[in-house]
Amino acid sequence: MKKNFIICVLFSIATSVMSADTPPAEPSSGSWQNQVRKLIEAKNYEQAITTLKQSDTAPTADWHNLMGYSLRQKATPNLAEAEQNYQAALKKDPKHRGALEYYGELLLLKNDLAGAEALLSRLDKACTFGCEEYRDLKKSIAQFKSRK
């Protein structure tokens, strides 16, 4: 009896840990997020910025993250405004994995290796069992170091 109870408790803990690391559900196909992600995938950053500005929702961490990414990737990058958006995203959600990764990449563009490594450390804590964002920023940092 005691053994069964322990097994149930361990199973419950394992299940709750796995669900805590599960990313949020995909946005519906008609949402601004889906539209912006498609524009970003097509490398149409100017239109992504316009779509974000025209969205009728209050800016969320995701909104700021996508805006920062689009500003950083457009033909003439606006790094200062991108940085403000990443900071706003992290203020709303300090563990936002996308914002941590992309802000780290922006800091590398500014030759701020220590800042990027600090964000990598935060990503390590935000990614319970590792995640793509952590691996991507770690790779970007390694590439940055190899160029120096």
Side-chain angles (χ1 to χ4, degrees), residues 21-82:
D21 197 39
T22 304
E26 286 296 313
S28 66
S29 61
S31 76
W32 62 265
Q33 284 179 313
N34 195 46
Q35 293 169 9
V36 170
R37 289 180 198 281
K38 285 181 180 179
L39 290 166
I40 288 172
E41 192 174 298
K43 300 186 185 322
N44 190 344
Y45 304 112
E46 292 292 344
Q47 187 59 45
I49 293 166
T50 300
T51 301
L52 283 163
K53 288 180 178 179
Q54 292 174 349
S55 72
D56 58 354
T57 94
T60 62
D62 286 336
W63 186 97
H64 283 292
N65 181 52
L66 293 169
M67 179 62 84
Y69 183 85
S70 298
L71 289 163
R72 182 169 60 96
Q73 295 295 328
K74 69 182 195 160
T76 305
N78 184 338
L79 298 183
E81 197 173 335

Side-chain angles (χ1 to χ4, degrees), residues 72-144:
R72 182 169 60 96
Q73 295 295 328
K74 69 182 195 160
T76 305
N78 184 338
L79 298 183
E81 197 173 335
E83 184 169 16
Q84 291 171 353
N85 275 280
Y86 292 137
Q87 290 171 345
L90 293 171
K91 185 174 182 179
K92 290 178 182 287
D93 179 0
K95 293 183 179 184
H96 193 285
R97 297 184 316 202
L100 288 166
E101 175 192 352
Y102 297 148
Y103 189 19
E105 290 173 355
L106 182 144
L107 291 176
L108 292 174
L109 291 173
K110 295 174 61 175
N111 292 315
D112 183 357
L113 177 60
E117 288 177 329
L119 291 172
L120 182 66
S121 177
R122 286 177 61 184
L123 255 175
D124 190 31
K125 291 175 184 147
C127 299
T128 308
F129 296 107
C131 61
E132 182 179 359
E133 295 87 354
Y134 176 84
R135 289 186 297 274
D136 289 348
L137 182 56
K138 186 174 183 176
K139 181 179 176 183
S140 294
I141 289 172
Q143 290 171 341
F144 178 86

